[in-house]
């Protein structure tokens, strides 16, 4: 065991109030000494002062075990530092990254692909790395990035022009750089990579450009591709029969990867959600279920072989990507322990699945839904609406009941926390869609009263509640019951963080960052940080102090208790 | 100068920035291309990227149709605007659509709307019989509570202006909504909503004061469902409505 490792383990005690000065010194040494092994990532719960993966753990709970900030003292939160990015970001260049923190050093990504290493205590920069990006890159929904992965001394970042780059975490220089596809065809990487064992897993965004999606694993040392799973199966692959015969629809069938997956080491399965089929809003070119779009796929982490899949929205016409982080929870299910997966989907239903077998356990609406009358016993939506040439009014709207924003699960409360768009609708009017390489391949853009992106300059919100509002909802994972909801006037693109001291942190488009009681939803603290929150909060500790970080607008804000 | 000549000159001035003539087929083709390829970022009404209002002819970098076509085809390096493989004809069709679509007009709707009435007569009606100036403001004159109409001719098509005159409740845009608030101490505050969030409300009250309220101090906070504007369906003849619409269409703002 290294010195650094002892520091890491000892840190949990710091949060409970012992020897911060000595440990601060040791932490400095640790930052220079230890590498991030996969064993550390696998057991991230042993070092809650760090945040080693996009969602904080491979089960993707976005749940911090730090307990220094509590419901009773959260009112004493104070801004510690702000990291302003270079100039005001374009509104489509939202700051969506969740930082990593490793032994006092924070790593994050400024839109679109500027990597920085910061002192987690002061926000001062160690280095910055900006790869040269192809001007041909085309991105659907902003030149953005959701974050990094780390293994050993190496960081991994996907770029908007479709490269995966390994970066030396100490000096910010590239180690290797591989191109996954041609950026001019719309393949871009916005996902924070996922490290499993010795591999780095990513997949492309681009479902609005007629891409054919995949999840690929790369050797972390060399960048060599080890396996690839096509989210739209080709001829001869299982699932290809869900695409029209004698047609090239599958070649442009979408199935993007927008957010990071999860991993169960006991099952050796890695889980990813997949995006919409292409074209988004005119399904005429693609009769059939269109596997594996709008699905969760469970893959063998070593080979990429499909173990099981579950499709939330077969033959989607409403852009209901399954771009959500799979939340893995071990809970008592009808009297016996069960490995489940919790999933609040863009289509307005939230699900519980058996994550070993893929068996459908439960599917319930969590917002106003009119496109389906429910989910049947086999897990199939009872669909009642389709896009029409005249226009069809559909709840929830095109951005969905929730989207890529991270939910949270607290093993303490047993609650599943979902950032939610309430009472939103879109009118889908079926329009022509013709594939042309590099052009958007969507059909006609639906209309909706709530803009998909909040764009300034302008007022935050003049809408009525009937046009849509936002909430943080807490559902009991076991019973499926709604326990509380915190209402916001505007919708939210914020992720949710829960903590082991029973706090929930989240934000919204209005520019507030706030703390709620994880058991009751009571508002305990709020700060006005001005910019739209389009990222997930995370927590770490440095120098014996718990911090909470949130990106908003074009800056990163970091809070800790007043000293 | 005769009225006919004035209208001719006005028409010429409007046409000047446009270097192409657009057919209805071009416009409809462009509308389809726009909705499938551009609306994802620019929004269905062309106003979702700050500083750019495509449907109002407000561009950051282009001053004429050729430049817009070049940007559609080549993109703008270093920005979110990607290049495309649109042909000249396709890019031209998108420009035709952008140049003729008014905000909030959807694909398939008619593009340029023609005001049939007499703008000078319309101004007299605006000032006199219609008493529009008792609520609205034009070029710095009039109260501030109702929507400022100084550039309404550039942002609203004639058909929508006419509908608004006869049926004011049909479409109240988010920026023109009125709210009523009652504080816990019983004070009533009404005005045009400028912004609201979970905790606060900002409005221009009926005394033209900028007011910010905390929702926790309010007993009631309600959106006024109907427009405060009266209907002119029975107050003005069809010809008079045409005249008022013609006047409103002629209002192009300080920097037309």
């Amino acid at each position: 065991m290294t010195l650094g490792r002892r520091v890491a383990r000892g840190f949990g005690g710091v949060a409970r109030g012992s020897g911060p000065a000595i440990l601060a010194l040791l932490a400095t040494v640790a930052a220079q000494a230890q590498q991030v092994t996969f064993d550390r990532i696998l057991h991230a719960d042993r070092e809650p002062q760090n945040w080693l993966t996009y969602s904080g753990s491979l089960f993707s709970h976005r749940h911090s075990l730090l307990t220094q900030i509590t419901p009773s003292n959260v009112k004493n939160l104070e801004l510690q530092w702000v990291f302003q990015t270079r100039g005001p970001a374009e509104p489509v260049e939202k700051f969506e990254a969740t930082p990593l923190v490793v032994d006092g050093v924070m790593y994050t990504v400024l839109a679109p692909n500027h990597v920085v290493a910061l002192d987690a205590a002061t926000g001062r920069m160690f280095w910055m790395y900006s790869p040269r990006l192809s001007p041909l890159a085309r991105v659907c929904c902003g030149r953005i990035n959701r974050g990094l992965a780390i293994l050993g001394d190496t960081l991994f970042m996907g770029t908007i022009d479709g490269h995966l780059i390994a970066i030396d975490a100490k000096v910010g220089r590239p180690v290797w750089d591989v191109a996954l596809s041609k950026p001019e065809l719309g393949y871009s990487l916005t996902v924070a990579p996922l490290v499993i064992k010795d591999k780095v897993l990513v997949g492309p965004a681009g479902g609005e450009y007629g891409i054919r999606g995949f999840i690929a694993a790369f050797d972390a040392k060399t960048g060599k591709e080890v396996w690839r799973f096509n989210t739209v199966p080709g001829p001869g692959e299982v699932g290809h029969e869900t695409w029209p015969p004698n047609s090239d629809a599958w070649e442009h069938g979408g199935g993007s990867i927008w957010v990071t997956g999860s991993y169960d080491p006991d099952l050796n399965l890695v889980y990813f959600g997949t995006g919409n089929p292409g074209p988004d809003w005119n399904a005429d070119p693609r009769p059939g279920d269109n596997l594996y779009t709008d699905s969760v796929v469970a893959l063998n982490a070593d080979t990429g072989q499909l173990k099981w899949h579950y499709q939330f929205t077969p033959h989607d016409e409403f852009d209901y990507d399954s771009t959500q982080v799979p939340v893995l929870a071990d809970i008592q299910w009808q009297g016996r322990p069960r490995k489940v997966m919790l999933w609040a989907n863009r289509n307005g239903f939230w699900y519980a699945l058996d994550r070993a077998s893929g068996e459908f356990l439960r599917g319930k609406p969590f917002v106003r839904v009119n496109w389906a009358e429910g989910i049947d016993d086999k897990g199939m939506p009872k669909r009642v609406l389709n896009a029409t040439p005249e226009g069809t009014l559909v709840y929830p709207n095109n951005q969905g009941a929730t989207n890529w924003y991270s939910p949270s699960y607290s093993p303490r409360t047993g609650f599943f926390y979902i950032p939610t768009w309430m009472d939103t609708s879109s009118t889908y009017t079926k329009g022509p869609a013709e594939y042309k390489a590099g052009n958007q391949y969507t059909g006609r853009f639906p209309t909706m009263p709530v803009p998909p992106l909040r764009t300034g300059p302008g007022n935050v919100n003049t809408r009525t509640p009937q046009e849509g509002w936002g909430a943080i909802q807490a559902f009991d994972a076991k019973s499926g019951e709604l326990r509380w909801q915190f209402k916001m006037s505007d919708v939210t693109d914020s992720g949710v963080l829960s903590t082991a001291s029973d706090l929930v942190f989240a934000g919204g488009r209005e520019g507030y960052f706030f703390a709620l009681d994880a058991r009751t939803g009571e508002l305990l603290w709020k700060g006005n940080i001005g910019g739209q929150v389009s990222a997930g909060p995370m927590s770490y500790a440095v120098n014996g102090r718990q911090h909470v970080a949130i990106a908003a607008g074009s800056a990163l804000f970091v809070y800790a208790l007043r000293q | 100068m005769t009225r006919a000549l004035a209208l001719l000159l006005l028409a010429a001035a409007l046409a000047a920035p446009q270097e192409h003539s657009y057919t209805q087929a071009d416009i409809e083709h462009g509308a389809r291309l726009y909705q499938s390829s551009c609306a994802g970022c620019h929004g269905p009404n062309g106003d979702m990227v700050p500083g750019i209002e495509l449907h109002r002819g407000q561009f950051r970098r282009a001053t004429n149709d050729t430049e817009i076509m070049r940007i559609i085809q080549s993109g703008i390096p270093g920005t979110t605007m990607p290049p495309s493989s649109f042909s000249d004809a396709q890019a031209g069709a998108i420009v035709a659509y952008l140049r003729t679509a008014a905000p909030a007009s959807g694909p398939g709707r008619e593009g340029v709307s023609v005001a049939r009435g007499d703008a000078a007569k319309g101004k007299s009606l605006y000032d006199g019989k219609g008493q529009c100036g008792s609520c609205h403001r034009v070029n710095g004159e009039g109260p501030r509570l109702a929507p400022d109409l100084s550039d309404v001719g550039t942002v609203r098509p004639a058909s929508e202006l006419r509908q608004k005159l006869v049926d004011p409740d049909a479409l109240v845009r988010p920026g023109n909504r009125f709210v009523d608030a009652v504080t816990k101490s019983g004070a009533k505050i009404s005005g045009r909503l400028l912004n609201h969030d979970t905790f606060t409300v900002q409005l221009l009250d009926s005394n033209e004061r900028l007011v910010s309220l905390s929702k926790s101090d309010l007993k009631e906070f309600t959106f006024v469902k109907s427009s405060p504007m009266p209907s002119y369906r029975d107050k003005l003849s069809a010809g008079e409505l045409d005249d008022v619409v013609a006047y409103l269409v002629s209002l192009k703002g300080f920097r037309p």
Side-chain angles (χ1 to χ4, degrees):
Chain A
M1 181 182 283
T2 65
L3 172 65
R5 187 55 172 277
R6 278 199 303 278
V7 172
R9 290 193 170 175
F11 225 106
V14 176
R16 293 187 287 273
S18 65
I22 295 166
L23 284 169
L25 179 64
L26 290 177
T28 307
V29 177
Q32 298 163 359
Q34 67 178 338
Q35 292 203 334
V36 179
T37 60
F38 184 64
D39 188 61
R40 284 183 64 188
I41 293 170
L42 204 51
H43 301 290
D45 55 326
R46 294 176 185 164
E47 42 185 301
Q49 77 279 14
N50 289 326
W51 192 270
L52 301 178
T53 57
Y54 177 69
S55 298
S57 71
L58 294 174
F59 272 26
S60 299
H61 289 178
R62 200 167 280 266
H63 178 79
S64 171
L65 294 175
L66 296 172
T67 55
Q68 197 175 68
I69 303 170
T70 67
S72 58
N73 67 19
V74 68
K75 62 180 183 290
N76 299 323
L77 275 187
E78 182 180 74
L79 190 62
Q80 302 298 301
W81 53 266
V82 179
F83 185 77
Q84 294 279 0
T85 65
R86 300 182 304 177
E90 293 281 328
V92 284
E93 292 185 352
K94 292 178 293 175
F95 196 165
E96 295 191 1
T98 298
L100 302 180
V101 169
V102 184
D103 304 325
V105 181
M106 174 181 285
Y107 304 97
T108 193
V109 185
L110 322 179
N113 285 125
H114 308 286
V115 190
V116 290
L118 309 174
D119 174 2
T122 64
R124 291 295 144 190
M125 193 162 78
F126 292 119
W127 55 256
M128 178 164 179
Y129 167 65
S130 301
R132 192 185 307 159
L133 300 171
S134 167
L136 299 178
R138 43 197 73 184
V139 287
C140 151
C141 308
R143 290 157 51 91
I144 60 91
N145 179 283
R146 301 203 171 83
L148 303 158
I150 189 165
L151 184 67
D153 282 331
T154 309
L155 297 162
F156 304 94
M157 172 177 68
T159 64
I160 58 163
D161 60 354
H163 284 239
L164 178 62
I165 306 179
I167 301 151
D168 184 324
K170 297 195 173 173
V171 292
R173 292 185 185 272
V175 178
W176 51 256
D177 180 336
V178 294
L180 271 66
S181 186
K182 293 180 179 173
E184 61 269 30
L185 295 181
Y187 290 80
S188 57
L189 294 179
T190 58
V191 61
L194 177 67
V195 163
I196 302 296
K197 301 178 184 175
D198 57 352
K199 300 181 187 65
V200 188
L201 277 58
V202 290
E208 278 61 48
Y209 286 89
I211 67 152
R212 180 188 179 204
F214 58 85
I215 299 156
F218 297 83
D219 184 293
K221 286 239 176 313
T222 65
K224 185 165 176 271
E225 187 172 316
V226 183
W227 57 252
R228 179 179 290 218
F229 172 79
N230 291 312
T231 56
V232 177
E237 292 180 300
V238 176
H240 185 67
E241 69 283 358
T242 64
W243 293 85
N246 307 316
S247 158
D248 63 356
W250 61 276
E251 291 184 64
H252 313 298
S256 314
I257 302 301
W258 295 94
V259 297
T260 310
S262 307
Y263 176 66
D264 184 324
D266 294 340
L267 301 169
N268 195 33
L269 290 177
V270 61
Y271 308 95
F272 272 91
T274 64
N276 62 276
D280 301 40
W281 303 298
N282 182 344
D284 290 347
R286 47 176 177 84
D289 279 354
N290 310 137
L291 289 175
Y292 299 97
T293 63
D294 289 356
S295 301
V296 51
V297 292
L299 308 177
N300 179 302
D302 301 324
T303 65
Q305 269 199 320
L306 181 71
K307 173 79 185 295
W308 59 259
H309 78 276
Y310 175 79
Q311 189 175 36
F312 298 96
T313 313
H315 192 68
D316 177 20
E317 296 170 278
F318 306 135
D319 198 11
Y320 289 155
D321 305 77
S322 297
T323 51
Q324 293 82 40
V325 174
V327 174
L328 314 186
D330 295 336
I331 63 175
Q332 288 289 320
W333 186 267
Q334 295 172 351
R336 68 181 179 92
R338 193 150 190 176
K339 284 174 165 288
V340 305
M341 173 185 292
L342 305 174
W343 200 297
N345 198 279
R346 192 164 163 173
N347 70 10
F349 294 90
W350 81 272
Y351 299 79
L353 306 175
D354 182 307
R355 71 173 184 269
S357 65
E359 182 188 342
F360 168 82
L361 302 176
R362 180 198 287 137
K364 291 180 63 161
F366 63 105
V367 298
R368 180 175 175 184
V369 174
N370 75 345
W371 70 275
E373 287 180 335
I375 311 289
D376 71 17
D377 292 344
K378 292 178 180 160
M380 284 290 288
K382 294 184 263 186
R383 187 190 192 113
V384 291
L385 290 179
N386 294 91
T388 57
E390 305 77 42
T392 308
L393 181 69
V394 175
Y395 290 82
N397 80 352
N398 187 69
Q399 294 310 107
T402 189
N403 203 303
W404 61 270
Y405 345 114
S406 292
S408 177
Y409 173 73
S410 167
R412 284 172 53 86
T413 61
F415 293 175
F416 182 40
Y417 303 98
I418 310 169
T420 310
W421 289 31
M422 305 294 289
D423 292 336
T424 63
S425 63
S426 284
T427 299
Y428 292 87
T429 308
K430 190 186 277 189
E434 182 187 356
Y435 179 75
K436 279 190 181 167
N439 284 0
Q440 288 213 345
Y441 179 53
T442 57
R444 185 169 293 159
F445 197 84
T447 57
M448 47 196 162
V450 180
L453 307 172
R454 176 191 148 194
T455 53
N459 296 341
V460 175
N461 181 17
T462 47
R463 290 187 302 279
T464 64
Q466 290 74 30
E467 292 169 319
W469 47 286
I472 305 298
Q473 293 187 310
F475 284 91
D476 187 311
K478 266 188 264 186
S479 70
E481 298 304 314
L482 176 68
R483 288 309 178 90
W484 54 257
Q485 65 181 6
F486 175 76
K487 296 182 176 181
M488 288 172 273
S489 293
D490 207 345
V491 296
T492 177
D493 306 345
S494 168
V496 182
L497 167 77
S498 63
T499 75
S501 52
D502 291 345
L503 286 169
V504 159
F505 288 92
R509 279 196 180 178
E510 298 168 346
Y512 290 109
F513 181 52
F514 49 82
L516 308 175
D517 185 306
R519 295 187 183 274
T520 65
E522 182 192 353
L523 178 72
L524 299 174
W525 170 86
K526 71 175 191 292
N528 182 349
I529 46 180
Q532 173 179 339
V533 176
S534 299
M538 54 80 73
S539 188
Y540 64 94
V542 63
N543 298 338
R545 298 178 72 203
Q546 182 182 358
H547 292 66
V548 182
I550 184 70
S554 50
L556 183 73
F557 298 82
V558 177
Y559 289 87
L561 292 176
R562 192 176 301 128
Q563 284 186 306
Chain B
M1 190 162 54
T2 66
R3 187 178 302 135
L5 178 60
L7 285 174
L8 209 65
L9 288 174
L10 177 65
L14 286 173
Q18 302 171 355
E19 294 159 10
H20 304 259
S21 61
Y22 313 124
T23 66
Q24 193 59 29
D26 279 341
I27 296 165
E28 288 173 7
H29 183 43
R32 285 193 294 272
L33 293 171
Y34 177 85
Q35 292 299 334
S36 62
S37 296
C38 315
C41 295
H42 285 283
N45 298 324
D47 56 359
M48 297 234 315
V49 177
I52 303 171
E53 296 205 37
L54 298 178
H55 292 27
R56 291 177 63 175
Q58 183 180 326
F59 306 96
R60 277 190 196 156
R61 296 166 201 252
T63 56
N64 57 43
D65 288 6
T66 309
E67 288 178 11
I68 303 170
M69 285 173 60
R70 186 180 48 72
I71 288 173
I72 289 171
Q73 292 173 314
S74 307
I76 305 173
T79 74
T80 53
M81 178 70 193
S84 73
S85 54
F86 285 126
S87 66
D88 286 351
Q90 288 172 317
I94 294 172
V95 173
Y97 165 67
L98 295 180
R99 288 298 198 188
T100 54
S105 71
R109 290 198 205 169
E110 64 186 80
V112 179
S113 49
V114 179
R116 289 172 300 216
D118 180 324
K121 280 188 186 168
K123 179 164 181 4
S124 299
L125 289 162
Y126 178 98
D127 292 332
K129 189 176 172 186
Q131 296 185 310
C132 311
S134 63
C135 294
H136 288 284
R137 188 173 177 90
V138 170
N139 295 340
E141 289 189 19
R144 295 178 172 88
L145 205 56
D148 189 315
L149 301 176
S150 303
D151 63 351
V152 76
T154 64
V155 297
R156 302 281 180 267
S159 55
E160 186 180 325
L161 292 168
R162 191 183 170 91
Q163 185 199 23
K164 190 76 194 171
L165 283 164
V166 298
D167 186 6
D169 293 343
L171 175 65
V172 179
R173 291 179 176 278
N176 298 334
R177 285 174 174 158
F178 280 72
V179 291
D180 291 329
V182 182
T183 66
K184 284 180 177 166
S185 58
K188 292 182 180 172
I189 302 154
S190 297
R192 179 153 56 88
L193 180 66
L194 303 179
N195 180 48
H196 74 118
D197 64 36
T198 305
F199 306 104
T200 70
V201 185
Q202 290 74 39
L203 50 87
L204 183 71
D205 79 0
S206 46
N207 296 316
E208 298 191 350
R209 286 179 304 207
L210 291 170
V211 175
S212 188
L213 303 168
S214 175
K215 282 187 177 173
S216 63
D217 293 338
L218 300 180
K219 195 162 59 181
E220 291 175 28
F221 174 63
T222 50
F223 284 82
V224 179
K225 288 212 173 96
S226 55
S227 168
M229 178 167 151
S231 169
Y232 287 88
R233 189 190 302 276
D234 302 322
K235 293 196 175 96
L236 299 176
S237 69
E240 288 172 327
L241 284 170
D242 284 344
D243 293 339
V244 174
V245 170
Y247 169 60
L248 295 175
V249 165
S250 76
L251 297 174
K252 303 294 187 187
F254 291 116
R255 294 166 61 189

